[in-house]
Amino acid sequence: MNNLHEKLQEFKNQNNLYTKEHKTFEEQLQKLSRRKLTISNKEYALSKLEHINYYRLSAYFLPFLNKKDSTNPNEFLPNTTFEDIIKLYYFDTELRKIIFEAIEVIEIYLRTQIAYYHSQKYGAFGYLDITTLRSNYQKEFDELHLDIIKEKERSKEVFIKHFKEKYNTTDLPIWSVVEIISFGSLSKLFMLLQESEQNQVIAKMGRINKVVFFKWFKALSSVRNACAHHSRLWNKTLGVSFEVPRKNPSFAPLSNSTKKVFFALSVIEYILTCIGEDEIDFKNKIKNLLQKYQNIDIKAMGFIEDWEELEIWREL
């Protein structure tokens, strides 16, 4: 069996066309220099390459490179400095931290609401019975419960062990389940709730219906995962698009940017305002970040003209 595996791997390697080799930090810096990047402080640049993987940093080269149809598409635009790239990198890092903190607040709120209203109607273990949820979503129900089983097995939380020893069951009450499942699984659980419960969960969201909110839920989960895995967000086209609510004119001007970060920022600020969560001061953190990095191209994030005049972003 091992011999077969080795032969298969050897076959794959024979068809692998990747030829790039390991480069020292010094060689990486030389490569950047050959690509016409201005490096005024070699020691500083080397220290950053030691701390930040070249491949990760290369995602921030793109706005500083010549156009693809130019004669030298791999060269940097004139007067581009290493510091320009590092500033963009740290802007994105700070942006992710602000977003992650805000989504965490929303996430905990939703976990609380879902557990509260479902257990209020069906008790601690109602979620185990598909008849308490949407009976015509058997596939989604099965997927959710597989997710729950995996999370229980993987989780190291003390309360899971304690619960099993004390009550002689591996089934957890809904208020414990919502604390161990992922944000993506939580969105599945929201989708499976009865319509009346969904409406209770989003009761404070203003003119946002359950269908729109479920799509927001999924999109926020995607953004959260990007933050958690330190992925570039600045000019990213999101893999999951947000929905423009028809009955809420606040989002109408953003209809052409449903896969951009600015739509996500607007949704986050809107939800935080609706649920009365102002302690993290999300709005001002975003504005202060943009003030700190004034040379960042915010249009690449989906920001529109006069965005601060939008109802969502206006100072109260």
Side-chain angles (χ1 to χ4, degrees), residues 144-154 180-181:
L144 173 64
H145 281 271
L146 280 175
D147 290 347
I148 293 172
I149 290 169
K150 289 177 183 177
E151 291 300 334
K152 283 193 295 187
E153 291 175 349
R154 186 170 61 179
I180 65 168
I181 59 176

Side-chain angles (χ1 to χ4, degrees), residues 171-183:
D171 290 327
L172 297 174
I174 184 69
W175 46 80
S176 296
V177 166
V178 297
E179 294 300 330
I180 65 168
I181 59 176
S182 69
F183 197 36

Side-chain angles (χ1 to χ4, degrees), residues 87-254:
K87 284 179 182 178
L88 179 56
Y89 172 81
Y90 281 119
F91 166 80
D92 199 43
T93 299
E94 292 184 44
L95 175 67
R96 288 197 306 271
K97 289 178 180 178
I98 294 171
I99 292 175
F100 191 81
E101 178 189 30
I103 292 180
E104 180 183 40
V105 171
I106 294 170
E107 181 179 342
I108 292 172
Y109 173 83
L110 292 172
R111 290 180 190 276
T112 302
Q113 298 299 304
I114 289 171
Y116 181 85
Y117 287 112
H118 190 68
S119 63
Q120 183 184 56
K121 191 170 183 179
Y122 298 108
F125 300 100
Y127 74 96
L128 295 171
D129 184 355
I130 195 171
T131 62
T132 72
L133 300 164
R134 293 176 180 259
S135 300
N136 56 330
Y137 282 79
Q138 184 67 53
K139 179 184 176 183
E140 290 77 7
F141 177 82
D142 292 341
E143 289 175 352
L144 173 64
H145 281 271
L146 280 175
D147 290 347
I148 293 172
I149 290 169
K150 289 177 183 177
E151 291 300 334
K152 283 193 295 187
E153 291 175 349
R154 186 170 61 179
S155 179
K156 303 299 182 181
E157 294 288 355
V158 175
F159 76 83
I160 295 179
K161 181 180 179 182
H162 168 76
F163 197 87
K164 183 177 181 180
E165 291 175 350
K166 184 174 182 178
Y167 299 105
N168 194 34
T169 179
T170 57
D171 290 327
L172 297 174
I174 184 69
W175 46 80
S176 296
V177 166
V178 297
E179 294 300 330
I180 65 168
I181 59 176
S182 69
F183 197 36
S185 295
L186 191 70
S187 71
K188 292 179 186 177
L189 178 53
F190 175 79
M191 182 190 71
L192 287 168
L193 293 178
Q194 298 287 351
E195 185 175 341
S196 59
E197 291 170 68
Q198 290 177 335
N199 289 333
Q200 287 175 309
V201 170
I202 65 171
K204 292 185 178 181
M205 304 298 176
R207 290 166 291 178
I208 304 297
N209 64 43
K210 61 186 184 301
V211 176
V212 169
F213 192 79
F214 173 64
K215 291 181 179 179
W216 282 9
F217 211 144
K218 289 180 64 178
L220 283 176
S221 177
S222 176
V223 173
R224 180 204 176 282
N225 289 341
C227 293
H229 293 95
H230 319 297
S231 300
R232 173 177 51 84
L233 267 186
W234 162 65
N235 65 342
K236 187 181 183 71
T237 298
L238 303 175
V240 181
S241 63
F242 285 87
E243 180 85 1
V244 179
R246 294 179 182 178
K247 295 182 179 180
N248 192 319
S250 301
F251 290 90
L254 309 182

